[in-house]
Amino acid sequence: MPATTLGLYIHIPFCARKCAYCDFYSLGGADRLKMDAYFAALLRHMRETAVFTGKKAGGGGWMVDSVYLGGGTPTLPGARRVVKLLSAARKLWQISQSAEITVEANPDTLDYKSLKTLRKAGVNRLSLGVQAVQTPLLETLGRVHSAEQAADCVREAQRAGFDNISVDLMYGIPGQTAEHLHDSLRAALSWNIQHLSLYGLKLEEGTPLYALEPPLPDDETQARQYLAAVDYLERHGFSQYEISNFSVPARQSRHNQKYWTLEPYIGFGPAAHSDFGGKRYSHARDLDAYIRNIEAGDAVVEEVDRIGPLERAGEYVMLGLRTVRGISGNEYTRLYKVSFDGIEKKLELLEKHGFARREGERWRLTAKGFLVSNRILSELLESEVDCELMS
């Protein structure tokens, strides 16, 4: 019997400086003593979890096929710390030889030596936060790197042996024009990358940028920027496979697809989430509490939700329609024993207005539909609430 695949997510919450728009759990500044304590806690947490899912659990049928180090800036504490985590993971879990091992990074935290160290340790995918190539826009966002550093980082990564590099860009930045976005896209593709993530800026309450109340491009302008970017990327060989994600063939993010296809994954670190054993659970957004609880042998889980069939069916719709692959009524009914009729009627209406498309027996949103996906998904989930479990 083939092993069941599992993803591992490891959160590294340290940043040189927190970006002005960032609402993810991260801490600015390089406190080396706290880093030491945190990495020790991470390793202990990994060992404790592997008792149930790793090699010591007799294999348990679990084969790890993706490891993702996110942040924060995982490369800020240094490549050697990352190598130590990956070495521990290999000892604790059965990791596939073809596993996707991703490390997020900011361009200013990497040089050829550290990149070579990461590549030698088995890291085979880099995800670089770039966001824009115009200095004023980078300053607005509170980024600490330059466009030149981003281009140099990609070149050095390729020289170190990386052939799977992703770049993050943003649209909807205050002061950003259509030309700015086009130039950022053109620059990123000129670096010969394999994957690009394009996110719309959202002003999150509690962030410095939110407090400044900067004027954002209006909804119509942002829609034009997004649709123009989708068209540009498609014409240059980057196929869209999710609302914000594009890649050349066979370079889709394997780890992120676990989230969208409801495959199991386990997260480590403060604010990390997991979906495993029919439950979703998360850890508190508190680094000190995480370290303290791990050292004391106490539980670090903040919230646990047992997922019932109807709730999982809703997740199937919500996450599946984020992807170009979409959802299947037959699959939905077979997996969750829930009628698809109400959802299909809504999708048929959306199709008439150009927001959805039927392809064979599957449904997906169009690029136009992706723009208003939050509203669409909310309406679809409302239609599902009245569904009853089928016998």
Side-chain angles (χ1 to χ4, degrees):
M1 172 181 282
T4 302
T5 58
L6 176 69
L8 302 179
Y9 173 81
I10 304 173
H11 190 63
I12 311 297
F14 303 105
C15 286
R17 185 179 74 192
K18 197 169 174 69
C19 295
Y21 61 89
C22 182
D23 189 45
F24 290 114
Y25 181 72
S26 60
L27 306 168
D31 187 331
R32 296 294 168 182
L33 290 177
K34 189 159 287 188
M35 286 181 185
D36 288 339
Y38 178 61
F39 276 80
L42 269 181
L43 290 169
R44 179 169 177 175
H45 190 191
M46 290 165 65
R47 287 194 293 269
E48 291 172 350
T49 303
V51 169
F52 305 100
T53 60
K55 293 179 180 179
K56 290 185 179 180
W62 298 107
M63 172 71 77
V64 172
D65 66 344
S66 73
V67 182
Y68 195 105
L69 280 79
T73 309
T75 48
L76 180 67
R80 290 184 179 180
R81 293 181 190 271
V82 173
V83 171
K84 190 173 182 179
L85 287 177
L86 292 177
S87 177
R90 285 195 172 89
K91 292 176 182 176
L92 295 168
W93 282 276
Q94 186 179 3
I95 297 182
S96 167
Q97 290 186 347
S98 61
E100 176 191 88
I101 301 178
T102 302
V103 172
E104 288 184 348
N106 284 342
D108 57 294
T109 63
L110 291 170
D111 55 22
Y112 177 74
K113 183 179 178 181
S114 60
L115 286 160
K116 195 70 176 176
T117 298
L118 292 173
R119 188 67 191 92
K120 186 176 180 181
V123 178
N124 52 28
R125 184 174 184 272
L126 285 179
S127 179
L128 300 176
V130 176
Q131 316 312 346
V133 298
Q134 295 80 22
T135 299
L137 298 184
L138 292 172
E139 290 174 347
T140 295
L141 295 172
R143 303 294 293 176
V144 297
H145 69 269
S146 66
E148 291 75 16
Q149 283 177 311
D152 289 344
C153 182
V154 173
R155 282 193 292 268
E156 292 297 88
Q158 291 163 340
R159 190 162 73 93
F162 284 93
D163 62 0
N164 193 1
I165 300 174
S166 178
V167 162
D168 288 357
L169 293 179
M170 276 188 173
Y171 67 95
I173 304 170
Q176 185 183 43
T177 66
E179 290 74 18
H180 287 147
L181 181 57
H182 181 267
D183 288 346
S184 291
L185 290 166
R186 184 172 56 186
L189 268 56
S190 75
W191 301 336
N192 194 30
I193 60 173
Q194 290 72 43
H195 187 282
L196 189 139
S197 296
L198 179 67
Y199 300 107
L201 174 65
K202 289 182 173 58
L203 295 184
E204 301 288 355
E205 190 171 357
T207 61
L209 196 56
Y210 179 92
L212 292 174
E213 299 182 343
L216 297 177
D218 59 38
D219 290 345
E220 185 177 340
T221 298
Q222 292 195 43
R224 285 199 303 268
Q225 289 181 346
Y226 175 80
L227 293 174
V230 171
D231 178 67
Y232 180 85
L233 290 166
E234 292 279 357
R235 285 189 287 108
H236 288 80
F238 280 69
S239 296
Q240 184 174 28
Y241 68 100
E242 192 266 348
I243 290 177
S244 303
N245 287 277
F246 308 78
S247 78
V248 299
R251 292 302 192 185
Q252 297 90 343
S253 169
R254 190 184 306 172
H255 188 84
N256 286 344
Q257 286 187 98
K258 286 187 176 294
Y259 302 150
W260 305 320
T261 57
L262 303 175
E263 295 181 41
Y265 58 91
I266 296 176
F268 300 91
H273 290 250
S274 302
D275 185 344
F276 184 79
K279 299 177 183 177
R280 286 195 186 278
Y281 56 93
S282 60
H283 307 312
R285 294 166 61 98
D286 187 328
L287 176 69
D288 292 329
Y290 179 84
I291 294 172
R292 187 168 59 248
N293 290 343
I294 292 291
E295 289 176 345
D298 294 334
V300 296
V301 174
E302 179 182 50
E303 185 177 347
V304 179
D305 292 320
R306 185 175 293 278
I307 308 167
L310 192 57
E311 183 180 355
R312 185 63 92 180
E315 291 179 347
Y316 171 87
V317 172
M318 180 179 68
L319 296 171
L321 283 176
R322 288 185 59 90
T323 70
V324 170
R325 184 171 184 268
I327 61 175
S328 157
N330 293 336
E331 196 171 65
Y332 178 91
T333 302
R334 175 174 56 80
L335 290 173
Y336 307 112
K337 306 298 185 287
V338 178
S339 172
F340 191 67
D341 292 347
I343 292 174
E344 188 155 52
K345 287 178 182 177
K346 293 267 189 179
L347 288 169
E348 288 170 348
L349 183 61
L350 289 166
E351 185 178 33
K352 290 179 180 178
H353 293 86
F355 293 104
R357 179 185 307 149
R358 190 201 304 260
E359 296 179 346
E361 59 95 22
R362 303 193 71 84
W363 284 96
R364 54 158 294 191
L365 298 184
T366 61
K368 180 181 173 182
F370 281 152
L371 279 169
V372 289
S373 59
N374 288 341
R375 186 174 15 164
I376 288 174
L377 294 174
S378 177
E379 292 177 359
L380 290 175
L381 293 179
E382 284 178 11
S383 70
E384 184 188 52
V385 168
D386 297 328
C387 294
E388 296 182 358
L389 294 180
M390 300 171 65
S391 57

